[in-house]
Amino acid sequence: MKKLFFIIVAATVLAMATGCTKFSDDINVDPSVPTRASNAQLLTYALNQLPAIIEAPTGLLYVQHWSEKPYTDASRYSVVNFDFYSIYTEALENLQTILNTQQFNIIEGSANNQKAVARIVRAYLFWHMTDRWGDIPYFNALKGKENFSPAYDRQKDIYYDLMKELKEAAAQIDNGNAVTGDILYGGNMQNWKRFANSMRLLMALRLSKADAEKGKLEFSEALNGGVFTDNSQNAVYVHLAEAANQNYWYYVVNVQNRPWYWASKTLVDYMKPLNDPRLKIYADVNGSGDYNGVPYGLDGNAVSAIPNASVSFIGVHVRTQNAPTYITTYAQVLLAIAEANKLGWLSGGDADAQAKYTAAIEASIRQWNRVSFQAYRDNTDKQVERVPYSATDKGDTTGLAAYLAQPEVVYNGADALRKIAYQRWLHLYMNGYEAWAEWRRTGYPVLTPAPNNGGIPIPRRQAYPLKEQNINGENYRTAISSQPQLSGKDDLNGRVWWDQ
């Protein structure tokens, strides 16, 4: 009898230790606390990460939109390794969760529309990453516990697959419910389709030297698929006039009180003689009421000796609390079409190249000289579709005609590629990494590296995160050795595949 008693007690203790199995676990779940985010929330979070990579200062410094004062380390290329982990683990992981969804809530949009938008944003992020680092984990990334050490894929293969993804995503958009949680376009699925095609078009042009045949094919298909045709279709992230969603540069300057970035002498000296209507947006006047940029890349002692009152700070309009972040724009598309005509990828020749070039400058000036901005959100983060362009606010064009008539600006077939590239550089102000990619591809504008800096050239890529050497060491080392343009070194001087 004693033996039986102990067996019963032991079984009871074991059952208590392992948990009761007769009742549903649901009785221990708080119904007011969700166990997973909705796809709408996942999308909103991913979109909220876009400004963090676009507003970063490094690209702006590489292309000399800005100069540093008083600290000039980044301008002198002292930072070599850059981290991509947060892009993978935050925005991309959210988007992958949407794509892995088994049952879609159609209240948040049709399954096709939810997947299409996730694919488009995912493509943008991977495009940004591969243009900075070159080969990166792509096909086997985002697998979770199935693969903690993904191999690096060739940039060529990544580009080909991203263009396929964008083509399929644009075709996937249907007439079902529009996506919710969309703080970029407010559920306007036609604008998402235009964004996908416009991105694919720009991506195709990036292949102009590395794979012109493929680039030409992809460019034409993207153009025929329907790209931006007006500034109102731009992909614009709208910051809000409150702390939780404010522009990063407002936070740096007004909250942290760190006035470390100034308009560069390179930029101001090019724009000022031309009376460029955008200069008043890009830079503030100095203490004398004039525009005067800070020389680029001086050492700390030299730049500290320049009185603040004598030079121009970055423009107040790009660092207000609700200043927008431009992701991809109509003017970029127009400049790309102008260049494609000049390259012979399209049949319009100089006539169409000139028309698109002139229209791009007007679109850029209108974009930067607006009083209000496209917005699909309010201070409570609710979706509120506002009219992007009113009849009286399509952008001030004062000075446009005089600007276009100047010899340095007016279209010239013999010098068209240089002029297109310079206008692209000007237009991409505040989108430094994109401007840097185009500088590497075209060689324009002509930039001089930081002086008295041991002859270090302007970076052509960024080195992988240092922790990759330990976390994913074998694949990291393979990636370095398999990219011939790196010469076996993970540094700032090697080139990505398309940079030829």
Side-chain angles (χ1 to χ4, degrees), residues 423-440:
Q423 286 299 325
R424 183 183 289 116
W425 172 64
L426 293 174
H427 174 70
L428 287 172
Y429 188 72
M430 301 304 295
N431 194 342
Y433 278 123
E434 181 66 12
W436 177 49
E438 286 299 296
W439 171 80
R440 287 178 285 162

Side-chain angles (χ1 to χ4, degrees), residues 119-276:
R119 293 171 84 178
I120 292 166
V121 182
R122 179 181 181 273
Y124 182 89
L125 291 166
F126 271 118
W127 181 33
H128 168 87
M129 292 168 68
T130 190
D131 280 356
R132 288 173 62 182
W133 287 280
D135 293 5
I136 56 172
Y138 176 71
F139 290 103
N140 288 305
L142 307 173
K143 300 292 186 182
K145 63 182 180 181
E146 295 178 15
N147 190 347
F148 288 130
S149 302
Y152 286 60
D153 297 293
R154 296 190 309 166
Q155 185 179 52
K156 178 179 180 179
D157 297 334
I158 296 170
Y159 254 76
Y160 278 26
D161 195 70
L162 289 177
M163 290 187 288
K164 175 191 72 68
E165 281 289 293
L166 289 169
K167 178 180 180 179
E168 292 178 358
Q172 188 173 23
I173 292 171
D174 62 26
N175 293 324
N177 288 350
V179 293
T180 60
D182 174 15
I183 58 174
L184 199 64
Y185 280 126
N188 186 322
M189 299 311 300
Q190 289 306 305
N191 276 346
W192 276 107
K193 184 177 290 189
R194 294 184 185 100
F195 180 26
N197 288 324
S198 298
M199 193 194 317
R200 183 181 168 205
L201 177 132
L202 296 173
M203 197 178 293
L205 188 60
R206 199 84 96 230
L207 307 185
S208 61
K209 295 179 180 177
D211 194 348
E213 183 177 353
K214 176 69 171 177
K216 179 180 179 180
L217 174 64
E218 293 285 344
F219 192 98
S220 296
E221 285 190 1
L223 182 61
N224 292 334
V227 295
F228 296 148
T229 58
D230 188 270
N231 272 343
S232 65
Q233 299 159 2
N234 289 347
V236 186
Y237 182 94
V238 179
H239 291 284
L240 305 179
E242 48 92 14
N245 294 284
Q246 65 194 4
N247 181 283
Y248 175 69
W249 295 111
Y250 173 87
Y251 172 72
V252 170
V253 175
N254 294 76
V255 180
Q256 293 186 313
N257 191 29
R258 296 178 176 177
W260 296 346
Y261 301 97
W262 300 70
S264 78
K265 181 175 174 60
T266 309
L267 183 77
V268 173
D269 283 1
Y270 186 77
M271 298 182 77
K272 181 180 172 182
L274 300 172
N275 294 312
D276 193 314

